[in-house]
Amino acid sequence: MTSYRRLWFILIAVLAITFAMLGYFGAEVYRSAPPIPDSVVSASGEQLMTEDSILDGQTAWQSVGGMQLGSIWGHGAYQAPDWTADWLHRELMAWLELAAQDTYGSPYDSLTGSEQNALQYELKQSYRTNTYDAQTDTLTLSERRVAAIRDTASYYRRLFSADPGLQSTRENYAMKENTLPSAERRDRLTEFFFWTAWAAATERPGGDATYTNNWPHEPLIDNVPTAENIMWSVISVVLLIAGVGGLVWAWAFLRGKEEHEPEAPVKDPLTTFVVTPSQKGLGKYLFLVVALFGFQVLLGGFTAHYTVEGQSFYGINVSEWFPYSLVRTWHIQAALFWIATGFLAAGLFLAPIINGGKDPKFQKLGVDVLFWALVVVVAGSFIGNFLAIAQIMPPEWNFWLGHQGYEFVDLGRLWQIGKFTGIAFWLVLMLRGIVPALRRPGDKHLLTLLTASVVAIGLFYGAGFFYGERTHLSIMEYWRWWIVHLWVEGFFEVFATTALAFIFCSMGLVSRTVATAASLASASLFMLGGVPGTFHHLYFAGTTTPVMAVGATFSALEVVPLVVLGYEAWENWRLKFRAPWMENVRWPLMFFVAVAFWNMLGAGVFGFMINPPIALYYIQGLNTTPTHAHAALFGVYGFLALGFTLLILRYIRPGIRFDERLMKTGFWWLNGGLVLMLFTSLLPVGLIQFAASADQGLWYARSEGFMQSDILQTLRWVRTFGDVVFIVGAAAVAWQVVKGLMGSSPRVVSPDTEAPVTVE
């Protein structure tokens, strides 16, 4: 380990401790998940529902798009209601109406304040008292509550059908007509919605908070932030300040020990390698990146328009075949596919360089097979999504071939297996180039870290197989966030950092010592907050206070390394002046500069905005979440994948000269469009919803009446300007890549040395 021994020890210790915490408290998620009763009965003994029927309702919800149509426990889409909060409030109001008639013989609204307060006290006692018997696995409900449930269920049966009386509501919720055609499955759907609301309103045995830590905010039954919520929120802010201060001190002391920058080589070292057949074969990967990118961007505009015309696109009724839940599914899945393809292509480009400038045997064949496997998975998952949401696919096939119903892992399980197989195959292709290099003498620490990140990417996607179609929702969320947070925000972050360090080191722009030390230190910082920080997504997903404590503590530390990314942006920008030949990679470098900026703003500022428990309590499921998601997912990983794409294009097509007009339009319009989208629409809408949620409850902030208010309608229309700017930028970048791929690749003269560059 030589001079890196301490850094390796720190990284290994961080990984060992944080994964131990993730596993230990993951077991707590299993132990403390809200029970799904074997039997739900009325006080008179009538059986109302069973565990199987509730889980049947969960599968029915998955088949209509699940989290892409409204949300459950705050996770999902934002146009339709959060079904948990909405059901709970409707059931509470139905109970109050029944109680008012039973007690006073008058409607609830006509009662005096003292009479209403008396009923609300009785309501709170009725709902927060836990009547689940663990010994018999039975939940017993009062007759009045049974009547309130039936009244609420009737509304949902009509909403998810083609009932003309609720057509305008479906339009406002961006739901297609007859969303769930089967009357029997609609009945089961209501039972699932009831169970999620029951868990949100009922106190855990031996505690004074509900199974979801008093989420959602519902004043009628005193669902308000717990003392632990407030305490750990304060602690998270203190830790953030302490962490930032500590990082600044460490940065100041460590900066003095850095080596001087090496003298830049006269010629770009990467052009001294002959472009290998497998690298030339990456052209089709780059085309797939920009094709899916363009498709995703257009779908984004289409999806956003559904928030103002819920069933139409400028007057054309398209929701019957392409409803909001479908196009939002495709929008998110397309983003994950093209970003992942860009990262896979970057790895495959580096593999021959690591291997001394030559392909391992049959590498080109492997690259081609992997590409067509990706195409099959993309096409199969998109078709399966369509058939599921259109309710054409048989219900028993839905989870495997259609739509899992879970945001970011919407693709059917078969396609998920295909994706995992493809990533594992990519790992094999990478190791075929890396392993021989590891056997050669010399400093291999940076390559070892790159190898570790490649292995993690190849294997950790498998976390998605630890839950199934009928897995408990709390347990599913635990494993889903292993993919969405840990795999994407953790290991891809380490891979990206190390890959860029490796590239810049191979170019001779930074010393191997500095690149290795910086990558090891960055990996430790990312993993320290990132691994246990996974729990900040699970505060209100049926978990207990320890999960909240760990999530709040470490998610604050997640933000700490992001505060210095402004310096990283400056360092990347300075690289363009190190040598004349750097002009050839100026635009890929600009995209890497944008990555650092958006990492600081999107992942750092907007991420911490929603991370503390007290903040997330009020804004989970509001438009503050997509503010963070767009700025972090596209701003960081999107720009990074596009930067990789342009960099690969530059080297596999050495004759290319980036079109300045196209690149300026692409770069600045993408950034400008993202800024407009965030600051003129998503963030203002989210903040207005935040005020409504804190004042009256989440149900109100997501309600039909509030979401259709004039100010929110105007702000959603305003987003069109940002979307158009963004689309123009995306088109410019896509056309630049297509032009570059269509151009020939003859022997060309390098502008820095006048030396010929051989392309074979």
Side-chain angles (χ1 to χ4, degrees), residues 302-356:
F302 191 6
T303 305
H305 190 79
Y306 265 140
T307 65
V308 290
E309 281 190 276
Q311 295 179 334
S312 303
F313 187 75
Y314 292 101
I316 303 172
N317 189 342
V318 291
S319 67
E320 181 179 357
W321 294 106
F322 301 103
Y324 174 89
S325 56
L326 176 64
V327 295
R328 190 176 189 272
T329 297
W330 283 351
H331 174 63
I332 292 176
Q333 286 301 306
L336 297 179
F337 278 128
W338 74 259
I339 291 172
T341 301
F343 275 67
L344 298 184
L348 294 173
F349 173 75
L350 287 176
I353 296 174
I354 295 169
N355 195 42

Side-chain angles (χ1 to χ4, degrees), residues 90 141 145 199 330 488-489 537 568 621 747:
R90 289 179 183 278
L141 303 174
R145 185 165 186 181
W330 283 351
V488 175
E489 298 180 36
H537 300 283
E568 180 181 317
R747 289 169 64 89

Side-chain angles (χ1 to χ4, degrees), residues 377 400 411-422 461 465:
V377 168
W400 282 90
L411 70 175
R413 177 55 56 88
L414 179 66
W415 312 116
Q416 187 182 10
I417 293 172
K419 186 175 179 179
F420 175 73
T421 303
Y461 185 73
F465 301 130

Side-chain angles (χ1 to χ4, degrees), residues 498-635:
T498 311
L500 283 176
F502 190 89
I503 290 170
F504 292 147
C505 180
S506 299
M507 287 178 167
L509 300 174
V510 296
S511 71
R512 184 170 295 275
T513 302
V514 169
T516 304
S519 297
L520 284 168
S522 296
S524 296
L525 286 172
F526 287 137
M527 293 293 100
L528 177 62
V531 176
T534 304
F535 285 128
H536 80 253
H537 300 283
L538 302 177
Y539 294 155
F540 313 117
T543 57
T544 52
T545 298
V547 170
M548 179 185 293
V550 172
T553 300
F554 286 91
S555 63
L557 298 179
E558 266 188 287
V559 181
V560 170
L562 303 181
V563 300
V564 298
L565 289 180
Y567 178 80
E568 180 181 317
W570 168 247
E571 287 291 283
N572 288 344
W573 169 258
R574 287 179 62 246
L575 290 177
K576 68 190 289 288
F577 303 107
R578 294 292 313 284
W581 51 264
M582 280 297 291
E583 181 64 22
N584 295 329
V585 293
R586 176 166 65 94
W587 283 110
L589 201 62
M590 288 291 289
F591 278 76
F592 298 147
V593 171
V595 169
F597 170 77
W598 286 107
N599 222 336
M600 179 184 64
L601 180 63
V605 176
F606 290 150
F608 191 73
M609 175 180 72
I610 64 174
N611 278 0
I614 190 64
L616 200 58
Y617 180 84
Y618 290 110
I619 63 180
Q620 179 160 287
L622 305 184
N623 277 270
T624 45
T625 302
T627 299
H628 160 63
H630 281 79
L633 184 59
F634 178 78

Side-chain angles (χ1 to χ4, degrees), residues 17-31:
I17 293 170
T18 54
F19 271 100
M21 294 174 66
L22 191 65
Y24 177 81
F25 289 105
E28 173 71 11
V29 173
Y30 276 80
R31 290 192 299 268

Side-chain angles (χ1 to χ4, degrees), residues 11-202:
L11 177 57
I12 292 170
V14 164
L15 289 173
I17 293 170
T18 54
F19 271 100
M21 294 174 66
L22 191 65
Y24 177 81
F25 289 105
E28 173 71 11
V29 173
Y30 276 80
R31 290 192 299 268
S32 61
I36 304 177
D38 180 63
S39 182
V40 180
V41 300
S42 68
S44 63
E46 178 188 0
Q47 181 163 285
L48 306 172
M49 57 193 84
T50 65
E51 179 180 7
D52 283 341
S53 68
I54 291 170
L55 291 176
D56 286 343
Q58 179 174 302
T59 64
W61 166 70
Q62 292 165 348
S63 74
V64 297
M67 290 179 178
Q68 303 296 357
L69 183 63
S71 57
I72 292 288
W73 289 350
H75 294 298
Y78 312 99
Q79 184 64 12
D82 179 88
W83 303 117
T84 302
D86 191 66
W87 176 288
L88 178 59
H89 187 75
R90 289 179 183 278
E91 185 187 327
L92 295 176
M93 293 307 301
W95 190 98
L96 287 172
E97 285 295 340
L98 291 167
Q101 291 292 342
D102 291 345
T103 307
Y104 301 104
S106 300
Y108 177 75
D109 287 342
S110 68
L111 301 181
T112 65
S114 60
E115 291 171 337
Q116 289 184 347
N117 287 338
L119 291 183
Q120 286 182 24
Y121 176 80
E122 188 180 346
L123 174 78
K124 176 186 173 183
Q125 298 306 309
S126 175
Y127 273 74
R128 294 186 69 91
T129 300
N130 196 330
T131 57
Y132 170 71
D133 185 342
Q135 297 296 321
T136 60
D137 202 7
T138 300
L139 172 64
T140 304
L141 303 174
S142 68
E143 297 297 341
R144 182 180 293 165
R145 185 165 186 181
V146 171
I149 291 169
R150 285 173 174 159
D151 182 75
T152 308
S154 174
Y155 164 80
Y156 281 99
R157 291 189 194 100
R158 293 185 294 117
L159 179 65
F160 280 81
S161 70
D163 187 320
L166 291 176
Q167 191 279 326
S168 63
T169 300
R170 282 189 292 275
E171 184 175 5
N172 289 332
Y173 288 166
M175 297 172 63
K176 68 172 187 173
E177 294 300 302
N178 211 16
T179 303
L180 188 58
S182 168
E184 180 182 355
R185 301 191 79 205
R186 288 198 296 270
D187 289 342
R188 302 292 82 76
L189 178 69
T190 64
E191 296 176 10
F192 173 65
F193 285 173
F194 158 75
W195 174 79
T196 68
W198 172 81
T202 302

